[in-house]
Amino acid sequence: MAGEKILLHICCGPCAIYPIRSLQQQGFEVVGLYYNPNIHPLREYLRRREAASQVAQKLGIKLICKDDEYDPGRYLREVVHREPSRCFFCYRLRLERSLSIARRGGFEWFSSTLLSSARQKHEQIAELASSLAGGGSPAFFYQDFRAGRKEAMEISRQWEIYRQQYCGCLYSEWERYHKELDSG
């Protein structure tokens, strides 16, 4: 794997720290992709994009980010009437885009920082990404990045990187709001 290119989908700056470092230590040439049409509102999307950019700069990787691809309407069309399964459709949307860019860019691998979160469904992400790749190139690279989460959060505090309080979608923000109401 030394010297092979991997496209790493990045959901946010703090979640990217450990995966980037780990992949670099394994000898990968890491390129980040910030593609997250699920994030709402626009202000939140921009804050997370800036955090991802800061982390990419500090760790010396290129970050692909096309703001004209920010389309929360696309995300909402994917999940409408599928709210109980919204995470699957959100994963699919972002992994399909990652795979498409990885193929066009000649990458050997693709992966996602979603695998650094204890709240994400790792088995579902791995199965979906492997299925999308279909055994071809690029292949999906699975690594449980949760092992470095605590360290990454401490580094993000030291670097003063924005750390969000919810997954990013309108649904999770609504759930967080109602939990606060219920606990207060």
Side-chain angles (χ1 to χ4, degrees):
M1 293 184 205
E4 292 184 352
K5 288 174 37 178
I6 186 166
L7 182 70
L8 181 65
H9 166 262
I10 295 176
C11 59
C12 64
C15 288
I17 294 170
Y18 179 76
I20 293 169
R21 284 182 157 182
S22 178
L23 293 168
Q24 288 174 327
Q25 288 170 357
Q26 294 173 63
F28 283 105
E29 178 188 337
V30 182
V31 174
L33 169 66
Y34 183 76
Y35 176 73
N36 299 291
N38 60 306
I39 297 174
H40 179 83
L42 173 61
R43 186 176 325 112
E44 182 71 16
Y45 169 85
L46 295 172
R47 288 182 83 184
R48 292 181 193 209
R49 181 197 64 192
E50 178 60 26
S53 179
Q54 290 170 339
V55 168
Q57 184 177 18
K58 285 187 176 289
L59 296 177
I61 70 162
K62 178 183 176 186
L63 180 67
I64 300 168
C65 177
K66 299 177 180 177
D67 285 334
D68 62 338
E69 290 187 338
Y70 175 64
D71 183 3
R74 182 171 183 200
Y75 162 76
L76 291 170
R77 286 187 298 277
E78 283 289 319
V79 301
V80 72
H81 305 300
R82 299 173 173 165
E83 199 277 329
S85 303
R86 72 179 189 255
C87 294
F88 172 83
F89 294 101
C90 184
Y91 299 152
R92 187 180 74 185
L93 186 64
R94 294 186 281 171
L95 291 169
E96 283 175 340
R97 186 67 181 135
S98 299
L99 176 60
S100 173
I101 289 175
R103 280 188 175 142
R104 283 188 299 169
F107 289 82
E108 288 87 4
W109 302 93
F110 74 107
S111 192
S112 177
T113 62
L114 292 167
L115 299 170
S116 68
S117 172
R119 293 189 175 113
Q120 302 302 331
K121 301 168 186 166
H122 283 235
E123 287 182 23
Q124 190 176 64
I125 293 167
E127 288 174 17
L128 176 60
S130 295
S131 175
L132 290 171
S137 183
F140 179 69
F141 183 85
Y142 177 81
Q143 182 175 335
D144 187 343
F145 294 123
R146 291 176 288 195
R149 184 150 181 84
K150 186 176 178 182
E151 175 188 345
M153 291 306 110
E154 181 55 37
I155 291 169
S156 71
R157 280 185 203 92
Q158 292 170 7
W159 290 351
E160 299 180 344
I161 302 294
Y162 170 68
R163 292 183 318 279
Q164 65 281 354
Q165 302 302 311
Y166 64 106
C167 100
C169 77
L170 181 62
Y171 296 104
S172 67
E173 173 64 352
W174 181 83
E175 289 167 351
R176 183 174 71 104
Y177 170 74
H178 282 280
K179 283 180 186 175
E180 287 176 7
L181 284 178
D182 292 343
S183 67

